[in-house]
Amino acid sequence: DQAKDKEAFLTVSHSFLRIIPELIKRDRYPEILRIIETLKRYFQEKKMWALLAGQVLEEIARGQIPTLLEDKFLSSKKEIRSSIIPIFVSLEVGVIPQLLSILKRSEDQWVRKNACEALIQIGPMAATTLVKELSHERLNVETTCDIIRVLGEIKSFEFQNSLKNILKKYISHENPKLKAQAYYTLLQIGGEENEEIFLEGLNDSNLEVRKRAVWCLGMIKSEKGVERVLELLYQIITHPSPESTSLESQIYQAFGLWGNLVIAERTLEEVLLETLEKRGLKRWFGFFQKNPLSDNALGAICDSLGKIGTKKSIRILSQLEKSSEGPLALKIKDTIRKIEGRDQKPDLQTPS
């Protein structure tokens, strides 16, 4: 700040190239961030020292400093990683190769999660490189999922068309985790325009993909989707299996996303309440009925009734609460409180 000529500014600025590695060794990241932010300020002001500051920033990005930060990030605890993230974000495109390397090298999901946070904060400048990486299809499944997730969080229209085309390839990938992540990101960047893709996902052979498709259809409030999902629910109830239990719970959870739609002269609230009456009786009378609801399914129904339930839900939920205990009883009580706290007029939505 006190430099009065070019030589003085460069002398001090270049000294940072030697100082920063020593600060990294000592875990003094706030000081590193202050140095980089000061150089960026001079560069962005476009005044006397702008070109010189830009030159030094380029040297920082090209040299050993990003690699030293990468190694620290990979080997350190959460607190250190949290201190390094703002430095990565400040260096922007200069550290994208290092962040990609972290995603490829690390088997620790929290390390990868923190690297993803940095890429999301860097934003559209990172997106172009990430889309190119995806298009090459040379990454392992975990890294590919991480990159797809990051691109879904970066809000920019510049790369979305090319990303959509890539994602449409991944929804037919053999790995179900990758397929499920592709569905989620398609929801984030395309929403309703991907309705047909989500509907096709209901027929997927993998349970997790079908669950993700149900959730996506609920998020876009698909009228076609709710009818198909009700058909799927009746199939599950008619032919129950251990595998279908979690899918059933996901369907009940998704009803709360759709709202209290009227389908075939019945509201979704009425569908949920009928399910409680027929298959939740073990909670009230102490005996098991055929195909009783699991605790997860009961919890999912409560979650949805907390969003769409009306006065008619309170009576059945109150009966259920009396014969329940532990976390489920607390959830039921909370659901009743949410319903009572809302406007008691039914929020009926009839498909056009």
Side-chain angles (χ1 to χ4, degrees):
D1 288 340
Q2 298 174 10
K4 295 181 180 179
D5 56 56
K6 174 181 176 180
E7 287 72 22
F9 186 91
L10 276 177
T11 298
V12 176
S13 297
H14 278 124
S15 71
F16 293 142
L17 297 173
R18 299 188 299 274
I19 291 171
I20 291 175
E22 295 302 318
L23 293 175
I24 292 172
K25 290 179 184 177
R26 292 163 175 75
D27 292 329
R28 292 168 64 172
Y29 302 105
E31 290 152 296
I32 298 171
L33 181 62
R34 186 180 172 196
I35 290 169
I36 294 169
E37 288 294 309
T38 301
L39 288 167
K40 285 183 69 175
R41 174 168 56 83
Y42 276 108
F43 177 67
Q44 291 164 355
E45 285 175 353
K46 305 296 182 185
K47 293 182 180 178
M48 182 166 42
W49 310 124
L51 289 176
L52 299 176
Q55 177 186 329
V56 176
L57 285 169
E58 281 187 19
E59 291 183 43
I60 289 174
R62 287 199 311 263
Q64 64 171 332
I65 291 169
T67 302
L68 292 173
L69 288 168
E70 175 190 346
D71 291 340
K72 272 284 186 174
F73 198 88
L74 284 164
S75 61
S76 300
K77 293 183 178 179
K78 179 183 176 181
E79 293 74 21
I80 298 295
R81 296 198 302 273
S82 297
S83 298
I84 295 174
I85 287 174
I87 300 172
F88 279 151
V89 175
S90 187
L91 288 170
E92 297 175 337
V93 293
V95 293
I96 292 173
Q98 282 69 36
L99 288 167
L100 273 172
S101 175
I102 290 168
L103 294 181
K104 294 173 185 177
R105 292 172 61 190
S106 178
E107 296 182 0
D108 187 318
Q109 63 173 334
W110 294 107
V111 172
R112 295 200 313 274
K113 182 175 183 291
N114 293 148
C116 288
E117 289 172 16
L119 286 165
I120 291 166
Q121 290 182 51
I122 292 171
M125 285 185 287
T128 303
T129 303
L130 296 178
V131 169
K132 286 180 181 176
E133 283 286 330
L134 275 186
S135 65
H136 294 152
E137 299 185 30
R138 294 180 304 207
L139 303 169
N140 63 43
V141 168
E142 293 296 336
T143 304
T144 303
C145 284
D146 287 335
I147 291 176
I148 291 174
R149 182 165 59 250
V150 168
L151 288 169
E153 296 291 339
I154 296 175
K155 308 305 178 187
S156 173
F157 293 103
E158 295 176 14
F159 63 91
Q160 286 192 0
N161 285 334
S162 51
L163 177 59
K164 285 175 191 174
N165 292 331
I166 293 170
L167 290 175
K168 286 174 182 177
K169 295 179 184 177
Y170 280 114
I171 60 172
S172 57
H173 196 278
E174 61 182 13
N175 186 283
K177 183 175 181 180
L178 192 47
K179 289 167 75 171
Q181 184 59 57
Y183 275 97
Y184 180 69
T185 300
L186 279 170
L187 172 71
Q188 289 178 297
I189 67 173
E192 294 178 7
E193 68 184 63
N194 295 306
E195 181 182 37
E196 290 302 320
I197 292 174
F198 302 146
L199 287 168
E200 289 173 14
L202 295 177
N203 300 320
D204 196 273
S205 60
N206 182 267
L207 174 68
E208 293 304 315
V209 175
R210 295 201 298 277
K211 286 166 62 178
R212 182 59 56 87
V214 167
W215 184 78
C216 289
L217 289 165
M219 287 295 291
I220 64 172
K221 302 185 186 301
S222 166
E223 293 176 5
K224 288 183 186 176
V226 72
E227 293 173 359
R228 287 278 306 279
V229 166
L230 277 169
E231 292 172 8
L232 180 59
L233 177 61
Y234 294 140
Q235 290 172 17
I236 292 171
I237 293 171
T238 307
H239 305 287
S241 68
E243 184 195 42
S244 64
T245 302
S246 62
L247 177 58
E248 182 182 11
S249 298
Q250 179 70 78
I251 291 172
Y252 295 139
Q253 195 88 48
F255 283 169
L257 301 173
W258 264 291
N260 202 12
L261 288 173
V262 177
I263 305 294
E265 301 183 352
R266 287 197 309 166
T267 66
L268 290 183
E269 178 191 25
E270 288 169 343
V271 172
L272 291 172
L273 293 179
E274 181 183 304
T275 302
L276 279 181
E277 287 182 307
K278 288 184 175 179
R279 298 170 57 212
L281 291 177
K282 65 169 186 172
R283 302 288 171 180
W284 305 336
F285 303 119
F287 62 84
F288 286 89
Q289 195 168 343
K290 184 180 178 182
N291 190 20
L293 290 166
S294 67
D295 282 352
N296 285 340
L298 284 165
I301 290 174
C302 287
D303 286 338
S304 284
L305 288 176
K307 296 174 183 175
I308 67 173
T310 63
K311 280 182 178 178
K312 66 176 71 173
S313 294
I314 294 176
R315 178 184 62 82
I316 295 175
L317 287 170
S318 297
Q319 288 178 286
L320 187 59
E321 183 193 0
K322 290 176 184 177
S323 56
S324 300
E325 56 187 26
L328 180 59
L330 294 175
K331 181 178 276 287
I332 296 167
K333 188 187 293 279
D334 185 55
T335 301
I336 294 170
R337 187 164 54 246
K338 286 177 182 177
I339 295 171
E340 291 175 337
R342 280 200 312 268
D343 184 348
Q344 298 300 301
K345 293 180 181 179
D347 177 23
L348 303 186
Q349 304 170 35
T350 305
S352 57

